[in-house]
Amino acid sequence: MTDTPDEKSITKGRDTASVRATVKDGIPHYMGFTGERLLNAITITATLGFLLFGYDQGVMSGIISAKQFYRVFPDLDPELTGPKHSSTMQAFYTAIYEIGCLCGAIFALVWGNKIGRRRNIMIGGFWVCIGAIIQITAMPGQKAGHQFVIGRIVTGFGNGLNTATIPSWQAECSKAHNRGLHICIEASMIATGTVIAYWIDFGLSYIDTSLSWRLPIGLQIIFAVLLIAGVSQLPESPRYLLSTGQHLEGEHVVAALSSQTVDSEETQQEKRIIIEALESVGELQIKHVFTSGPSQHLRRTLIGASSQLFQQIGGCNATYIGLDRRLALILGVLGRRKMFLWGTAGQALSMFLASFCLIPYNVQGDKVDHATYGAVVGLFLFLMSFGCTWLELPWLLPAEINPNAIRTNANAISTMTNWLFNFAVVMWTPPMLDSLGGFGTFLFFGIVNLCFFPFIWLFYVETKGRTLEEIDVIFAKAYSTKEWYVKVGDEMPKLSSSEIESEAMRWGLGGDIEHRVVGVLGERAIH
């Protein structure tokens, strides 16, 4: 399709004073960047959000049982309150953060589409800073425990909001050929942030004052400020802008990400494709998550949420979360489905190895049998399998598979699933280890991983190399032809922009988009 004369004349004559982009040589720039450099800036900023997430996940592990921490929070000291009470309170101080994260994800579900991706992330970073300040200003004898718990919840709220929003923002700004790599780099920073927190905790543990725990908690403010600063200068998601009628800014972002002029055929065609994908939904509401039809909103929401569920119940919280980032880059070659399947196989086999090697220790009572060393190997292999597949993929799949119209809401539901089951698994794993030992616990998680295979094989469609609108076409075609969408995804060739536009119309996605765009532009010209 080509622009009509009316649309072109309106495009050339309209006022661009309200557009955030700086236009150089006819090409919009944000933060001075365009094209790949702009995409890299978005990726770096997004990684700060998940680095912050990982840092906050790990920072408590090195200070929760430190004597410097006990001086301000004596209810955690086993010598004063007894080992049972202190262990319960330590678990509470740590796990309450996840309740805050859940609240942040709920906020994204309700308000995400109203506020926008950028504002959500900046709000999340702001509350991380406020929560950190509340925590580090707790003083002995001044209800320090209450204050610290409130601070943990507030910080969790900010991180929950960010983890529900950042993958959507990055996915909607990335191109099909590098979207998976960018989001996996982003998610891999969880482990990097955790490792940074561990080393900072270790280094400051030699300081015999409250600075040893106040400083590690306070340092996350630096990450949050950098995140806010970066997002404030970068563009909003073009799909969010176009979905809310901000066509002028939206097409400038589309042009900037492609390093094209606003009036170029490529920019205008991509704009029309995005609007077409949104046309059949109308005004965005939470209830659209639970609809069927050609877009298959509910099915896709459940698929995305299932990946977060499987991540948490697969056993990662029974071990230290590690990562091999180089292996994660294989994702762009093998695709999502194969990496899910290989990662699940690796996790299951690793858990069985660790379990069976602990039979002499847990079942036979042999405390010196060298077979127990095999359990260490099993857990190491688990960490490798998890780190290069299930750590990143559940953050990527919901951002890719969910349609533009409900992506923020559906991602929020996925993130809520993550935090709910993260909290549950963290609470049930210690008692399981106490009652079943390592043999029974790891055997249980191995069996759980085996249950993932049929679900992944039957329901997880391959999204590698597909544009977000192309994925919409896969589900719409499967719905209309009554074929299974996984099969359609495997057999359907890659589509060009013009093919996506025509196929979307063919399978019931959208309406008379050219007429709608011209009408919107004409109305703006009049006003």
Side-chain angles (χ1 to χ4, degrees), residues 105-342:
I106 293 173
F107 182 90
L109 172 65
V110 177
W111 296 100
N113 274 326
K114 297 181 178 66
I115 295 175
R117 318 309 191 226
R118 289 175 61 253
R119 287 195 184 96
N120 267 327
I121 297 170
M122 289 190 284
I123 291 171
F126 169 78
W127 285 113
V128 168
C129 294
I130 297 299
I133 292 171
I134 293 173
Q135 291 175 74
I136 63 178
T137 54
M139 304 301 291
Q142 303 296 322
K143 297 189 181 296
H146 297 75
Q147 180 176 332
F148 192 84
V149 167
I150 292 171
R152 289 285 288 169
I153 294 172
V154 172
T155 299
F157 176 86
N159 270 321
L161 186 54
N162 284 342
T163 53
T165 307
I166 290 175
S168 294
W169 178 58
Q170 187 169 15
E172 292 175 349
C173 291
S174 297
K175 300 298 181 182
H177 70 277
N178 57 18
R179 183 178 61 244
L181 176 62
H182 285 172
I183 295 181
C184 282
I185 291 174
E186 163 199 300
S188 71
M189 296 305 289
I190 298 172
T192 304
T194 302
V195 171
I196 291 173
Y198 286 167
W199 280 107
I200 290 176
D201 283 350
F202 174 74
L204 292 175
S205 66
Y206 294 96
I207 299 177
D208 193 24
T209 67
S210 65
L211 184 67
S212 65
W213 63 266
R214 295 185 196 273
L215 183 57
I217 294 175
L219 285 176
Q220 64 190 296
I221 296 175
I222 297 175
F223 300 129
V225 170
L226 290 175
L227 175 65
I228 294 170
V231 172
S232 68
Q233 299 301 311
L234 290 168
E236 177 60 274
S237 156
R239 289 166 173 86
Y240 170 76
L241 292 170
L242 294 173
S243 72
T244 53
Q246 302 177 62
H247 293 269
L248 192 59
E249 181 76 30
E251 66 182 2
H252 276 75
V253 176
V254 170
L257 293 171
S258 300
S259 194
Q260 299 282 334
T261 63
V262 174
D263 292 326
S264 70
E265 172 60 25
E266 181 179 338
T267 298
Q268 293 303 318
Q269 185 177 54
E270 185 172 350
K271 180 183 73 173
R272 286 196 302 268
I273 291 171
I274 293 171
I275 298 174
E276 185 172 318
L278 297 162
E279 177 73 5
S280 60
V281 179
E283 184 181 354
L284 303 180
Q285 298 179 27
I286 296 176
K287 68 180 182 180
H288 291 138
V289 172
F290 306 102
T291 59
S292 183
S295 296
Q296 294 289 284
H297 289 177
L298 179 59
R299 182 192 299 274
R300 294 160 74 174
T301 299
L302 293 176
I303 292 171
S306 72
S307 66
Q308 294 281 19
L309 168 64
F310 293 164
Q311 182 197 64
Q312 293 302 315
I313 64 174
C316 66
N317 285 305
T319 62
Y320 167 82
I321 297 179
L323 172 70
D324 189 330
R325 288 182 59 195
R326 288 174 297 177
L327 291 177
L329 303 183
I330 299 174
L331 178 71
V333 179
L334 292 183
R336 287 40 158 175
R337 270 171 60 88
K338 290 181 180 178
M339 290 297 284
F340 269 121
L341 292 169
W342 279 109

Side-chain angles (χ1 to χ4, degrees), residues 3 25 67 150 239 353 368 385-386 398 408 454 465 473 475 497 507:
D3 293 331
D25 300 323
K67 62 181 184 298
I150 292 171
R239 289 166 173 86
L353 175 61
V368 296
S385 299
F386 176 80
T408 295
V473 171
F475 281 89
S497 295
W507 302 116

